[in-house]
Amino acid sequence: MTSEVVIRGRNLTEFICEMYLNKNYQGLIKYDEHQLPQLNESEFTEIREQLYNNRLSTFSFLSFPVYQGIFKALGESEIGKALDQLSIFNIRNQIAHNFNELSEKKLIYC
């Protein structure tokens, strides 16, 4: 159950980030042929550069760590702090793709 919550929670958070950016920063997100969100790099070069400097790739669709970087680059510190509090979502791929059991220590300290 815990892993399901982490997986779905991160997906919901990414959806909320996408909706917020579409509403408040029109044109920042573009969509590929599969309707996956991507950074509009040609229009938002400063954000692209900051993400690259922080080693966050924007070549693929936007994910939780990239959204964190985008909000920090935009100066949205309150949202950035809120996303930092959800750091447990950074282990989502480990859970979803490896089916590793979560240790109680990891959950308590996140």
Side-chain angles (χ1 to χ4, degrees):
M1 291 291 275
T2 303
S3 60
E4 189 67 24
V5 169
V6 171
I7 292 166
R8 298 209 185 269
R10 179 172 161 169
N11 291 346
L12 178 61
T13 301
E14 289 172 346
F15 173 77
I16 292 168
C17 290
E18 179 184 346
M19 294 298 104
Y20 180 88
L21 291 172
N22 278 332
K23 179 180 178 188
N24 295 293
Y25 297 93
Q26 290 183 357
L28 187 135
I29 296 176
K30 65 179 184 176
Y31 295 88
D32 68 10
E33 64 275 3
H34 303 290
Q35 294 304 304
L36 294 174
Q38 297 181 323
L39 176 66
N40 186 350
E41 294 184 10
S42 62
E43 297 291 322
F44 293 87
T45 55
E46 307 89 25
I47 293 173
R48 181 193 69 209
E49 293 302 318
Q50 286 186 37
L51 293 175
Y52 286 151
N53 289 339
N54 292 322
R55 301 176 196 248
L56 292 169
S57 173
T58 59
F59 291 120
S60 62
F61 65 93
L62 298 179
S63 63
F64 185 77
V66 179
Y67 281 120
Q68 285 179 293
I70 289 172
F71 281 112
K72 288 177 183 173
L74 289 170
E76 292 271 5
S77 60
E78 291 298 315
I79 294 173
K81 288 178 189 175
L83 291 177
D84 288 344
Q85 293 297 313
L86 299 173
S87 63
I88 189 172
F89 292 155
N90 288 327
I91 62 171
R92 181 233 179 249
N93 288 343
Q94 175 187 350
I95 296 166
H97 299 294
N98 297 328
F99 300 107
N100 292 338
E101 184 176 333
L102 290 175
S103 73
E104 191 173 330
K105 281 185 177 180
K106 271 191 176 178
L107 292 175
I108 291 172
Y109 296 111
C110 286

